[in-house]
Amino acid sequence: MLSREDFVSRFGGVFEHSPFIAERAYDAGSVMEPLTASGVHAALAAVFRAASREERLGVLCAHPDLAGRLAIAGELTEDSRKEQAGAGLDRLSPAEHVRFSELNSAYLEKFGFPFIIAVKGLSKGDILSAFESRIGNRPDEEFATATAQVERIALLRLTSMLPEGE
């Protein structure tokens, strides 16, 4: 079994900048060998769901804007950089960039956290369409949608880390 330090080092970033989730999952003894994407995800997601609303909001706020200032400055985490690049968000036209910036600002102002979507397998058009649709959601509905997307991102990250279990 991995030590707590090794587990947190390896999986602490699966939920963006939120190592407390891996710490709590390990401490709860809910991580079983062999490590599999589904098993680790179940343990981490249970901790995320049990976290206070303020803690879950903190996890949402830890996510970067899509095609936002961190991306432009090259300050995304490696996972976020790869995910956004895979969806073409690093190759926006000037007009697309303006639209994403406008939506990022309006969304953040309305909901208090950045727009979050698991971008793997989506095009920038798919993402823009979801963005424009979801900005009309009620705050409680969007909080639920965003937390579900965070869990999906975590599973996708774990699947790339532990494709067959170790």
Side-chain angles (χ1 to χ4, degrees):
M1 182 69 177
L2 287 175
S3 70
R4 182 183 195 270
E5 181 180 334
D6 289 342
F7 183 82
V8 173
S9 174
R10 187 165 181 194
F11 300 110
V14 169
F15 281 76
E16 194 93 4
H17 298 294
S18 302
F20 79 90
I21 294 174
E23 292 166 351
R24 290 180 190 172
Y26 188 92
D27 293 345
S30 57
V31 179
M32 302 296 164
E33 299 262 350
L35 297 178
T36 63
S38 61
V40 174
H41 184 262
L44 296 178
V47 168
F48 179 60
R49 291 176 192 148
S52 70
R53 181 175 174 84
E54 293 75 27
E55 288 173 320
R56 286 179 287 139
L57 178 59
V59 173
L60 298 181
C61 289
H63 280 261
D65 289 341
L66 292 179
R69 62 179 176 72
L70 292 179
I72 293 166
E75 296 177 8
L76 294 175
T77 64
E78 186 62 16
D79 285 330
S80 289
R81 186 195 64 73
K82 286 179 184 175
E83 291 158 0
Q84 290 198 26
L89 298 181
D90 60 338
R91 299 177 302 279
L92 296 177
S93 70
E96 290 168 331
H97 182 73
V98 166
R99 185 65 182 137
F100 269 92
S101 294
E102 291 169 349
L103 285 167
N104 279 326
S105 294
Y107 184 97
L108 184 60
E109 183 176 325
K110 180 173 180 178
F111 298 112
F113 53 87
F115 178 76
I116 300 167
I117 190 168
V119 299
K120 186 175 177 93
L122 300 178
S123 70
K124 58 188 173 182
D126 296 331
I127 296 163
L128 192 57
S129 177
F131 213 149
E132 291 172 337
S133 172
R134 285 176 45 194
I135 203 162
N137 286 347
R138 295 182 325 274
D140 60 327
E141 180 181 29
E142 190 55 25
F143 187 86
T145 300
T147 56
Q149 288 295 309
V150 164
E151 289 186 27
R152 177 159 169 65
I153 292 165
L155 179 59
L156 291 167
R157 289 177 177 179
L158 286 164
T159 300
S160 72
M161 297 168 77
L162 299 166
E164 299 297 324
E166 291 186 2

